[in-house]
């Protein structure tokens, strides 16, 4: 299990919860989901190639306003 999720932009670490509330987790369809950093607004869209989720595309959209914190 994941213990947490670290933002690649600002380094903020979000403690993991079961339903990923801390990431503003959104699911668009069975294979596509989005997580976003509540600290800086950077978000990541994950799209799996298939329902095994062993590989897929990751698109990281960084926020324009960087808020460096804790690095
Ligand atoms: Zn961030």
């Amino acid at each position: 299990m994941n213990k947490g999720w670290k933002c690649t932009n600002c380094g903020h670490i979000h403690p993991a919860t079961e339903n990923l509330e801390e990431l503003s987790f959104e699911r668009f369809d069975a294979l596509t989901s989005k997580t976003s950093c509540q600290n800086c607004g950077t978000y990541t869209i994950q799209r799996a190639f298939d329902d095994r989720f062993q590989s897929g595309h990751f698109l990281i959209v960084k926020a324009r306003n960087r808020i460096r914190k804790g690095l």
Side-chain angles (χ1 to χ4, degrees), residues 7 10 37 39-40:
C7 175
C10 72
C37 174
N39 187 45
C40 71

Side-chain angles (χ1 to χ4, degrees), residues 15-40:
T17 59
E18 265 184 43
N19 57 5
L20 301 177
E21 258 176 34
E22 73 282 6
L23 302 180
S24 306
F25 188 81
E26 292 177 55
R27 184 170 289 284
F28 298 122
D29 60 40
L31 300 180
T32 310
S33 60
K34 174 186 161 188
T35 53
S36 54
C37 174
Q38 292 176 14
N39 187 45
C40 71

Side-chain angles (χ1 to χ4, degrees), residues 2 9-11 15 19-20 29 38-39 45-48 53-54 59-61 65 67 69 71:
N2 286 336
N9 191 44
C10 72
N19 57 5
L20 301 177
D29 60 40
Q38 292 176 14
N39 187 45
I45 294 172
Q46 303 91 12
R47 180 164 178 81
F53 294 98
Q54 289 173 345
L59 174 65
I60 297 173
V61 181
N65 296 320
I67 307 167
K69 196 175 177 184
L71 262 183

